[in-house]
Each structure stands twice: as C-alpha cells, then as structure tokens.
Amino acid sequence: KYVFWETQPVTQFNEGGEIEEGPIAAPRAVDDVQAQPYCLPDSFEWCVCNLNEDAVVQEVYELLSNNYVEDDDNMFRFKYSASFLKWCLLCPGHRLEWLIGVRVKASRKLVGFISAIPANIRVNTKTVAMVEINFLCVHKKLRAKRLAPVLIKEITRRVNKCDIWQAAYTAGVLLPKPVATCRYYHRSLNPRKLIDVGFSRLAPRMTMARTIKLFKLPGTTATPGLRECRQDDTPQLVELLNAHLGLYKLAPMFTPAEVTHWFQNIDGVINTFVVESPDAPGRVTDMVSFYTLPSSILGHPQHTELKAAYLYYTIALSVPLRQLVSDAMVLAAARGYDVFNALDLMQNESFLRDLKFGQGDGQLHYYLFNWRLAGGCSMAPQDVGLVLM
Ligand code: NHW
Ligand code: EN5
C-alpha cells in the first residue's frame, strides 16, 4: 500500500474509464501555496545547495556517491561526477532554491537531497511547463523514516510557488503509476572487465577470447562528416530536434539556450556529434549524443569503477540510426568506456539486436506528477521521446 502516494495527484493503479487527459488536481493560485517550508524532524534543517560553490558540489557528490541508486543485487552504485551534477543542475532556467538539501543541525552534515530543473514537456498534443525531478536521496542511515515524502512535498511547494504544477521523473521502483516502462540494454565495450566484476557473464560455450572478438569494434567511425558538435550548430539542431521529437507522445521541447547547454562536449560528462553533410558544407543532417555516468563497483578487490556511456538523444536522417549509434560506440570505446547503455525507447529497438546489446536486469519507469493520460492509460516505450539523467 502506497500510504504517501495515495495522497498525491498522480494516476492511481485502480483508475480507468472515461477520464480526460490533463491535470489531476484543481488549478490553484500561487498565493494559496503554503509560504512556510514543511517541518523536518527536530534535528534536521533545510538548506539550498548552491552548486556554484565547489565545496557544496563536493558534498552533494559525496552524498550521492555513497547513498544513491544501486542495482537489485547491490553490486554497483551510480557515481555521478561533480562536473556532471553541475552540468545537469545548473542548466538554463535553473533556480538554486530547487536544489534542496537536508542537513543535520548539529554537524551540518548533508544527509538528504532532491532537485528540480525546468523543462517544457509535450504530452500528446499539449505542451506543459514542468520540472524534471532527479537525485532524490536520503542517507542510508536515515532510511525508512518517511523523510522522502517530506522532501517531495517541499520541492512540490517550491515549484508551485513558481506557478508550475506538473513534473516528470523516472525511477527504477514501481510507484503509482508509470506512464511508460522502459528496459535498459547494455553493449559490452570491455567484456573482460565486465565479466571480471560480475556486470556480465561469459555466455555458455563461449571462451573469453571469442567473447572479446565478438564485441570488438572498428577503430574508426563509418559516417563521413561526423564531427563534434559546436555552439554554432545550435540553430540547426533546434530545428532538427524539435521536428524529430514531434514523433513521440512524451517529449521535451528545447529552446535554443537549452540545445546549446544539453548538446555540448564536456569531457567525461556529455558528448555530442553531428553529421555535417559532405554535399552541403555547413548543413547538419544528423546527431548522436551520450552522457557519462560511471558506477562504483562495490567490494571488488581490483576494480573500483565501471565507466558507462548512456545513449542520450539521436537524430538519424541521412544515415541509418544503427550506423550513428555504432559510431558513437566506436568513439566511446576509444575513450576508454567499459559499457554502452541504451533504453528501448524512441526508435532504439531498431538497432539493439544488430549492435549486440543485451537486455539488462533493470527497468526504468517514467512518471508524471499531476497529469493523467486519457483513461489513466500508459504508453509503449517506443512512444517515449524523453531522456532524463
Ligand atoms: S529515482 C532515484 C531515487 N533515489 C534512490 O533510489 C537513491 C537510493 N534511495 C534513497 O535514497 C530518480 C531512499 O531510498 C529514497 C526513499 C530517498 C528513494 N521516488 O523516506 P521513506 C529520482 O530522484 C516512496 C518517489 O520512508 P526511504 C526521482 C515510497 O514508495 N517515491 O523511504 C524522484 C514510500 O511512499 P509510499 C519514492 O527509502 C521522484 C516513501 O517514499 C521513491 O528512506 C520523486 C517512503 O519514504 C522514489 N524513487 O527514502 C517524486 N522511493 O506511498 C517527485 C521510495 O509507498 C514528484 N519512495 O508510502 C514530483 C514533485 C514535484 C512536483 C511539482 C509540481
Ligand atoms: C533516474 N534518472 O538496475 C535514475 N541497472 O539493467 C534512477 N544491470 O546495470 C533509475 N544485478 O543487467 C535507476 N548486466 C534504475 C536502474 C538502477 C540500476 C540498475 C541495471 C540496468 C544494470 C547490469 C548489471 C547487473 C548486475 C546484477 C546488467 C547484464 C548486461 C549484459 C551485458 C552483455 C549482454 C547481456 C547483458
């Protein structure tokens, strides 16, 4: 039973019937939103995590490195880098009061976090000013004390104070009620290490030598005109992205400032490549991007970190998507990544098998806060055009 989520404006599991698509809770005025922060247990206090300060980024980085998401068998834990957190959370339109920390009053130790960033998200025909919620984390020693609902209510209040009433978020856990459920797929770049650390296994009747050969990638990319994205590509990318994302039922709408921010090249954070047409110099026809999210390898004597690339947004117009993603993997392999990950959303199913991805044991549920789909229904992974970090 979902004691907290039953009280929230989210689609419940038992819903159905003739309900219309749109907000779940009646619209309210900003002035009617509670002015006071929610109460925390006595020994804790709220803080704003100003990620422009290196010492604060370091505290958030350490909280997440030690307490954030693990796989089902607790073998790996996400280890977002400090520079990744800055890229992700200091995006266009960010508000510092939406980077919420919880500290122990006595020691000032950071023990909780949640973040919101603004995003225009289209659901079917309606584009809604929303926030994306991410990095909800409570220190391991303070689990199951109902702190998470307080963090969620407080960020809801602060976002509502800015006249925003909807949110999108993803989670590996099942909550009321996913708008879509995607699967993770993994493509080995460094099979020996993946097998050594228990991320993958040697297939039956396969030797290590044959496995390494199976996953070997070409030394160079196949697409003529493929190059790193530059800031002056933004106008063309805005057009390409917003047109392409129109194919999906759930997708962001990017402003030029957002395209410049989300599709740049920051070593070890985000990589974006475009195809500049060999026939029409200056004309961008395709793009592929991936972000870097390493995981700590828990309790392994030799290896401590798994270097993973996650496929972000792609647009394939002049070459097959399979070729663009293959080139992205070649570039990732050359940069020393161990594994290349993707979800089965957008048109990704079209290349997963050919490019030797295998299904992972993790799922990713997509959720909307205060927005219901017609009839309380959900959509297929291929209808999802939104990738969150
Ligand atoms: S998903 C990653 C979330 N983080 C982790 O998994 C890190 C490791 N785990 C923890 O830190 C990406 C804790 O286990 C957390 C829960 C903090 C997860 N989302 O405090 P209690 C995101 O960041 C519900 C939502 O006792 P705890 C997205 C749970 O069902 N709810 O548990 C975040 C229960 O409610 P119920 C979650 O283990 C989206 C209640 O929390 C959840 O000490 C947030 C128990 O609380 C999750 N991932 O702390 C929602 N995990 O109804 C945003 C558990 O069952 C909504 N719960 O009684 C929108 C807000 C903005 C709106 C604006 C208009
Ligand atoms: C919100 N933005 O479960 C994020 N990862 O499959 C929060 N499995 O890495 C949401 N268990 O299958 C987080 N190897 C939800 C995901 C949480 C992390 C998670 C899964 C995704 C994962 C790996 C390791 C499993 C270790 C044991 C996995 C098999 C891969 C193999 C590669 C070669 C071909 C066959 C498959």
Side-chain angles (χ1 to χ4, degrees), residues 3 26 29 35 116 127 172 178-179 187 220 236 248 284 288 301 364 367 375:
V3 172
T127 301
V179 292
R187 203 307 184 168
T220 54
Q236 295 189 75
Y248 306 103
V284 170
V288 60
L364 189 64
Y367 300 99

Side-chain angles (χ1 to χ4, degrees), residues 6-292:
E6 277 175 3
T7 68
Q8 298 298 297
V10 294
T11 306
Q12 301 296 323
F13 284 118
N14 57 18
E15 278 183 33
E18 265 87 281
I19 328 171
E20 244 194 275
E21 191 143 316
I24 294 170
R28 287 197 292 157
V30 166
D31 285 337
D32 295 340
V33 176
Q34 177 185 320
Q36 291 304 314
Y38 281 87
C39 283
L40 281 169
D42 244 355
S43 44
F44 304 101
E45 63 190 19
W46 297 112
C47 72
V48 164
C49 291
N50 184 351
L51 297 190
N52 297 300
E53 293 175 21
D54 288 347
V56 176
V57 188
Q58 194 59 27
E59 282 182 289
V60 176
Y61 165 76
E62 276 169 19
L63 173 70
L64 296 178
S65 297
N66 295 319
N67 302 279
Y68 200 52
V69 176
E70 299 179 6
D71 69 298
D72 284 344
D73 303 298
N74 311 104
M75 296 170 67
F76 306 98
R77 188 189 306 124
F78 284 156
K79 192 179 171 195
Y80 289 89
S81 69
S83 42
F84 189 103
L85 294 169
K86 292 189 73 163
W87 169 64
C88 198
L89 297 176
L90 299 178
C91 63
H94 77 274
R95 305 184 67 112
L96 293 181
E97 78 263 27
W98 291 351
L99 308 180
I100 307 181
V102 172
R103 291 185 186 277
V104 175
K105 272 184 191 162
S107 62
R108 307 280 304 141
K109 187 182 159 76
L110 186 71
V111 294
F113 188 75
I114 191 168
S115 67
I117 57 172
N120 292 308
I121 294 179
R122 183 178 51 75
V123 190
N124 290 309
T125 58
K126 292 194 175 109
T127 301
V128 184
M130 299 199 194
V131 291
E132 295 172 355
I133 304 293
N134 207 346
F135 306 114
L136 166 61
C137 185
V138 167
H139 194 285
K140 284 183 181 233
K141 291 195 169 150
L142 297 170
R143 295 281 169 87
K145 297 177 185 301
R146 312 304 293 184
L147 281 172
V150 188
L151 277 157
I152 294 167
K153 285 186 283 185
E154 180 59 13
I155 202 150
T156 303
R157 189 189 68 80
R158 294 190 197 187
V159 167
N160 286 166
K161 272 289 178 213
C162 298
D163 205 10
I164 296 177
W165 307 89
Q166 272 76 35
Y169 50 104
T170 56
V173 296
L174 183 65
L175 304 165
K177 181 196 166 179
V179 292
T181 296
C182 297
R183 304 279 328 201
Y184 280 98
Y185 283 76
H186 309 280
R187 203 307 184 168
S188 302
L189 303 179
N190 184 355
R192 182 192 296 280
K193 177 170 167 187
L194 295 183
I195 292 166
D196 273 356
V197 303
F199 185 93
S200 66
R201 295 186 194 179
L202 211 51
R205 284 169 269 106
M206 279 286 275
T207 62
M208 185 62 84
R210 279 187 66 206
T211 304
I212 290 169
K213 193 170 162 213
L214 175 70
F215 289 116
K216 195 170 166 55
L217 284 162
T220 54
T221 54
T223 309
L226 189 73
R227 60 159 173 83
E228 284 194 4
C229 177
R230 298 187 306 252
Q231 198 171 326
D232 61 298
D233 295 321
T234 290
Q236 295 189 75
L237 271 187
V238 172
E239 295 308 311
L240 286 175
L241 275 162
N242 288 334
H244 172 73
L245 292 171
L247 298 175
Y248 306 103
K249 293 180 180 171
L250 176 70
M253 294 276 288
F254 290 116
T255 65
E258 287 173 330
V259 168
T260 303
H261 181 82
W262 295 121
F263 302 99
Q264 49 180 323
N265 283 284
I266 308 175
D267 239 12
V269 175
I270 174 70
N271 288 93
T272 308
F273 300 89
V274 297
V275 180
E276 182 173 334
S277 171
D279 316 322
R283 156 81 59 83
V284 170
T285 52
D286 309 74
M287 71 88 75
V288 60
S289 54
F290 58 86
Y291 64 84
T292 300

